[in-house]
Amino acid sequence: MAKMKHQWVLTGKGVKPSDYSRPSNWLSMVRRPDKDVDVFFLMATTYLPENPGDAEVCTIDNQRMRKYGPYQLEAKASVFEPLANIYAPYYRQLDARLMIGKSSAEAEPYFTVPKMDVFAALDYYFARCNAGRPFILAGHSQGSTMLCLALEQYFPKHPELLERMIAAYVLGFSVTKNWLAEHPHLHLASGPDDTGVIISWNVEGPANAGQTNVVVREGSVCINPLNWRLDDTYAPADLNLGSFFCKNSKAKHEEGFADAQIDLERGVVVCRSADPERWAVKHHDMFGTQSYHSWDYGFYYENIRQNAKVRIDNYFKSKNA
């Protein structure tokens, strides 16, 4: 996979955006919204090429992506379900293994086609679905990568939309100090209730320090999902309101067992209370031996839900003041 076999991946030449007027291109599409807030959700990577000659970017109707998309919705986007109407497009995904060893600048051209789809989905969503409601952006892993590109490139062209953004939950990917400095219209959350801000973290065990994690960039910054602080104040598991996991086709709520402390140097949330034998992801070449990448939402599920409600309530209070 090191050598590109399909140059359209990098250039987008001859490629058109996917058609988001087709209901089949939406993982979740609310026809009759009954809530005052929307969530626009971008799922993590579900496409992994398995055979020689497979493209680096999948088609919009790729069977593997379609098969595992509903899992992404249940395991992650569902955290917002009591609070908001959830809109989630399918988008042509990149083989995430291509990102190993690449800087953000080196990686961006590989996202030409996925970005094309995401921007087209945003166009359709705002023109046909949103109806002026405030919204939350949420994603995970590759989905959060795409949200960062949208925050950087799409929303500056639509500043009136950014004014209605309650928050962007960019989990499982890095927000860096340099990136924020280069885009002064974007701000990292500084506490539990500010709005128009980015919430971001990657969860690891302590043994992952110094290891390569494809989603952890140099200069990463994050917020603690239990105490909503930016410093390294330890948050014990008794602050965890509850966890939620979808594993082996079974959904399960558990008592919150995950603690959290920011490693300021690495820019990640360190969880010491989880058993790595049970929870560490298996793709060690991509994430290191003690990454909890799959559970960035699940470990802190109920805290995320409570926090989203706080930010939504604060948004409406500020607008009605």
Side-chain angles (χ1 to χ4, degrees):
M1 300 302 295
K3 184 178 180 181
M4 298 301 296
K5 299 187 290 294
H6 306 274
Q7 287 302 312
W8 59 269
V9 170
L10 292 173
T11 65
K13 186 176 181 180
V15 180
K16 295 181 179 180
S18 296
D19 182 1
Y20 288 99
S21 68
R22 298 181 60 182
S24 61
N25 285 342
W26 289 87
L27 171 61
S28 179
M29 166 65 73
V30 181
R31 292 298 181 186
R32 296 180 179 178
D34 58 358
K35 299 178 179 68
D36 295 330
V37 174
D38 292 348
V39 165
F40 184 89
F41 176 77
L42 294 178
M43 64 181 179
T45 306
T46 59
Y47 172 65
L48 288 174
E50 298 174 334
N51 303 304
D54 284 351
E56 290 85 358
V57 171
C58 70
T59 59
I60 194 65
D61 59 355
N62 178 262
Q63 291 184 358
R64 180 183 173 91
M65 180 177 66
R66 299 282 176 142
K67 178 181 178 180
Y68 291 104
Y71 160 82
Q72 296 282 321
L73 200 66
E74 184 175 15
K76 299 163 187 176
S78 66
V79 72
F80 303 105
E81 197 166 23
L83 309 171
N85 315 297
I86 298 177
Y87 297 85
Y90 287 107
Y91 64 97
R92 288 172 288 185
Q93 294 189 328
L94 176 73
D95 174 10
R97 293 172 295 192
L98 288 168
M99 296 302 98
I100 298 174
K102 290 183 174 63
S103 67
S104 295
E106 292 168 334
E108 184 176 346
Y110 290 79
F111 289 105
T112 297
V113 175
K115 183 175 74 173
M116 186 185 300
D117 274 4
V118 168
F119 286 17
L122 284 166
D123 282 343
Y124 185 87
Y125 161 71
F126 283 116
R128 303 296 183 88
C129 306
N130 174 253
R133 290 183 295 275
F135 61 91
I136 289 171
L137 300 176
H140 189 239
S141 198
Q142 185 166 165
S144 289
T145 306
M146 304 316 301
L147 286 183
C148 284
L149 289 172
L151 288 165
E152 172 189 327
Q153 299 173 20
Y154 181 89
F155 285 98
K157 297 178 181 178
H158 306 278
E160 75 285 358
L161 300 179
L162 202 58
E163 292 178 2
R164 289 193 276 115
M165 187 186 81
I166 295 171
Y169 288 81
V170 180
L171 307 190
F173 185 66
S174 290
V175 171
T176 68
K177 295 176 184 176
N178 286 343
W179 184 75
L180 290 169
E182 290 167 1
H183 306 287
H185 65 288
L186 301 175
H187 306 279
L188 187 71
S190 60
D193 59 359
D194 43 354
T195 59
V197 294
I198 299 170
I199 296 101
S200 181
W201 61 74
N202 289 287
V203 187
E204 299 183 326
N208 231 45
Q211 296 192 42
T212 296
N213 186 336
V214 70
V215 294
V216 176
R217 302 291 190 182
E218 184 177 353
S220 293
V221 289
C222 65
I223 194 165
N224 188 311
L226 295 184
N227 60 22
W228 303 104
R229 296 173 65 105
L230 301 178
D231 60 23
D232 60 358
T233 300
Y234 175 68
D238 60 14
L239 295 179
N240 193 316
L241 301 176
S243 303
F244 177 69
F245 306 104
C246 292
K247 201 171 185 180
N248 300 323
S249 301
K250 295 181 180 179
K252 182 181 180 182
H253 289 270
E254 292 193 14
E255 183 178 349
F257 61 84
D259 61 1
Q261 184 175 26
I262 295 177
D263 178 337
L264 293 173
E265 183 176 350
R266 189 165 167 86
V268 300
V269 168
V270 175
C271 175
R272 292 180 173 82
S273 58
D275 179 3
E277 292 297 321
R278 180 183 180 190
W279 297 110
V281 299
K282 305 303 181 185
H283 298 288
H284 295 171
D285 59 328
M286 293 180 65
F287 299 106
T289 59
Q290 207 172 91
S291 167
Y292 300 125
H293 181 67
S294 296
W295 318 114
D296 290 317
Y297 276 87
F299 273 7
Y300 309 109
Y301 188 88
E302 294 296 341
N303 293 76
I304 296 169
R305 177 173 287 175
Q306 182 196 57
N307 181 251
K309 186 178 187 307
V310 168
R311 294 185 196 275
I312 289 170
D313 290 346
N314 203 38
Y315 174 89
F316 283 113
K317 285 179 184 177
S318 66
K319 295 300 178 182
N320 295 329

